[in-house]
Amino acid sequence: MTNSMPLRTSREFLSLLKAPEVESPECLSDSLYEEINTAIANAVARNDQPEATALWKCRTIGEIQRTFILAFRLLKDQKFYEAWCTFEQVEIQLKFLRRHHPRDEHDEHFLNYTERMVERWQDRHVPV
C-alpha cells in the first residue's frame, strides 16, 4: 500500500518542532517519528545525504523534546528518581546531537534552554 500523502522535508519537520508543548502537539506523536523515519529512508534511497542528515537532526531534536517533557511529567507525578534518569537520557541525546550539529545561537528548538534546565535539575536532585 502506498502513501498518497507527499513526504515532508526536513525544513517542514524542523518547523513543527518549534516549542512543541505550545505550538504543535503533533510533534509529540509517534506517527510523526514514523513519518520522519520514512523520509530518512527515502532520502537515503535517493542518495540525498544532506537531506538524510537534516532529517536525522529533526528526529533527534524531537526525541530530545519528547524526553524532556516526559521528565517534567515524571516530576509532576513525584517520580523523582525516574525523572532524574530521564533527564540523564536528555543529556546524552543532547551531547550526541552537539557532536554532529553545533549550537544554534537562534535556538529555535530551545535546545540551549533544555541543556541548562537538565543541568540545573540534575544538580538539585541527585539520586540517593
Side-chain angles (χ1 to χ4, degrees), residues 68 72 84 87-88 90-91 94-95 98 103 111-126:
F68 184 71
F72 273 95
W84 190 91
F87 280 127
E88 183 72 18
V90 173
E91 182 181 23
L94 279 163
K95 285 181 180 180
R98 298 289 194 212
R103 290 182 186 272
L111 298 175
N112 297 336
Y113 167 80
T114 301
E115 194 168 37
R116 284 191 311 274
M117 290 303 294
V118 166
E119 289 171 4
R120 288 179 184 164
W121 277 98
Q122 285 185 316
D123 285 345
R124 289 184 184 158
H125 302 283
V126 177

Side-chain angles (χ1 to χ4, degrees), residues 19-82:
E21 72 287 355
V22 176
E23 303 270 335
S24 175
E26 177 191 15
C27 73
L28 301 176
S29 73
D30 290 337
S31 63
L32 180 70
Y33 296 91
E34 291 169 14
E35 188 180 347
I36 292 172
N37 287 334
T38 300
I40 290 170
N42 287 339
V44 169
R46 292 190 315 270
N47 202 27
D48 186 350
Q49 191 62 39
E51 181 66 1
T53 301
L55 288 162
W56 171 85
K57 180 181 176 182
C58 295
R59 184 178 63 200
T60 304
I61 288 171
E63 289 170 355
I64 289 166
Q65 292 174 338
R66 281 174 45 154
T67 309
F68 184 71
I69 290 169
L70 172 62
F72 273 95
R73 288 180 181 159
L74 290 166
L75 286 173
K76 183 179 175 186
D77 293 340
Q78 297 184 2
K79 297 178 179 176
F80 301 112
Y81 179 74
E82 291 90 344

